[in-house]
């Protein structure tokens, strides 16, 4: 309820630190809106074809649609007495700002990956896209040569199995244990 009393520099610092803590946010399309909802256009994949000189192309434009996004609120609450604010040898506001931003960045990553779209979660996620989510999530599963074992050949298959036009923007996500195993290969 005191959001209007938070100075803009503190708000900006919180957002910068949160964005720095979030791993997945740089890969997302971020939109803003002054209202509680925002309708965002979406479309299927576009196709291209070669045609003979003097011919006309049949209409192959992708199917257009939209997603209705609803604003959600993420927060981290801290409490400090006036005495601790005055007596602390550390800047308590900066300390809490860093802790809140770190927690928010981590929560944002979890929401983007695993939200089931139930209130108050975000609409759709990589794991559970729904009929009203962006639809642009393209998650491809890869079957290892031996189940539950990833080899160097599997890694090559994951990389080169992606079409050339997508490789520069391809992203592989994994938890710490998986990244540790892959780095050993």
């Amino acid at each position: 309820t005191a959001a209007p009393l938070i100075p803009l520099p503190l708000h900006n610092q919180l957002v910068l630190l949160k964005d720095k803590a979030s791993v997945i946010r740089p890969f997302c399309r971020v939109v803003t809106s002054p209202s509680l909802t925002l309708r965002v256009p979406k479309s299927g994949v576009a196709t291209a074809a070669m045609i003979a000189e003097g011919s006309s192309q049949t209409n192959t434009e992708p199917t257009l649609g939209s997603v209705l996004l609803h604003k959600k609120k993420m927060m981290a609450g801290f409490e400090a007495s006036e005495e601790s604010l005055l007596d602390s040898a550390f800047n308590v506001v900066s300390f809490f700002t860093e802790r809140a931003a770190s927690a928010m960045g981590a929560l944002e990553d979890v929401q983007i990956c695993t939200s089931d779209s139930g209130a108050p979660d975000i609409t759709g996620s990589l794991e559970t896209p729904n009929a009203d989510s962006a639809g642009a999530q393209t998650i491809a599963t890869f079957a290892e040569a031996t189940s539950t074992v990833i080899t160097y050949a599997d890694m090559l298959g994951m990389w080169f199995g992606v079409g050339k036009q997508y490789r520069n923007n391809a992203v592989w996500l994994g938890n710490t244990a998986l990244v540790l195993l892959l780095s050993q290969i």
Side-chain angles (χ1 to χ4, degrees), residues 4-62:
L5 301 176
I6 296 176
L8 192 55
L10 176 59
H11 171 269
N12 292 344
Q13 181 68 10
L14 181 63
V15 171
L16 287 171
L17 290 170
K18 177 193 64 74
D19 291 352
K20 184 178 178 184
S22 178
V23 175
I24 302 170
R25 184 182 188 86
F27 303 107
C28 296
R29 180 174 157 204
V30 178
V31 294
T32 59
S33 170
S35 61
L36 290 175
T37 60
L38 176 66
R39 188 163 298 281
V40 178
K42 68 175 186 174
S43 71
V45 177
T47 57
M50 300 298 294
I51 59 171
E53 186 70 31
S55 301
S56 62
Q57 171 68 18
T58 58
N59 186 357
T60 61
E61 67 183 49

Side-chain angles (χ1 to χ4, degrees), residues 87-117:
D87 293 344
S88 175
F90 300 98
N91 182 336
V92 177
V93 174
S94 292
F95 181 81
F96 284 161
T97 300
E98 290 171 8
R99 297 308 178 273
S102 177
M104 289 176 154
L107 176 59
E108 189 173 76
D109 284 344
V110 168
Q111 285 284 304
I112 292 168
C113 287
T114 63
S115 166
D116 65 1
S117 302

Side-chain angles (χ1 to χ4, degrees), residues 170-184:
V171 176
W172 285 262
L173 300 172
N175 63 21
T176 303
L178 176 65
V179 172
L180 179 62
L181 290 172
L182 292 177
S183 69
Q184 292 173 7

Side-chain angles (χ1 to χ4, degrees), residues 36-38 68-72 121-123 132:
L36 290 175
T37 60
L38 176 66
L68 183 61
L69 300 177
H70 302 271
K71 278 190 179 175
K72 307 295 183 182
D121 292 344
I122 63 171
T123 303
D132 197 33

